[in-house]
Amino acid sequence: PGYVVEWEPIRVEAAESGDLGYVFGRWSARSEDGSTPEDHGYYVNVSRKIDGAWRTVVEVNGSSSPVVP
């Protein structure tokens, strides 16, 4: 099935040098047809400007859903 993923930035900051920045926020994902439960959590993405283009150097995502054994 297809999935719908939504990103909600909470905080975005950039270094004064203009070559490093990060975004912190919430995410959610669900299947389009409802066949899987919705999942949600938080993310952090750190980007650096390399050769004039922004590149992700670190990305961390964590689910807030309970772990099912």
Side-chain angles (χ1 to χ4, degrees), residues 1-68:
Y3 284 87
V4 176
V5 179
E6 296 177 338
W7 304 90
E8 179 188 348
I10 295 173
R11 185 176 186 108
V12 178
E13 289 194 27
E16 286 186 33
S17 60
D19 65 351
L20 184 69
Y22 78 89
V23 59
F24 165 77
R26 291 192 257 305
W27 64 268
S28 65
R30 60 181 168 77
S31 60
E32 289 179 325
D33 65 4
S35 63
T36 59
E38 181 172 328
D39 197 5
H40 59 280
Y42 291 91
Y43 68 92
V44 176
N45 179 291
V46 179
S47 298
R48 179 179 293 279
K49 203 172 207 180
I50 300 171
D51 296 329
W54 286 100
R55 306 286 185 206
T56 296
V57 293
V58 176
E59 183 170 276
V60 179
N61 297 288
S63 175
S64 297
S65 297
V67 176
V68 178

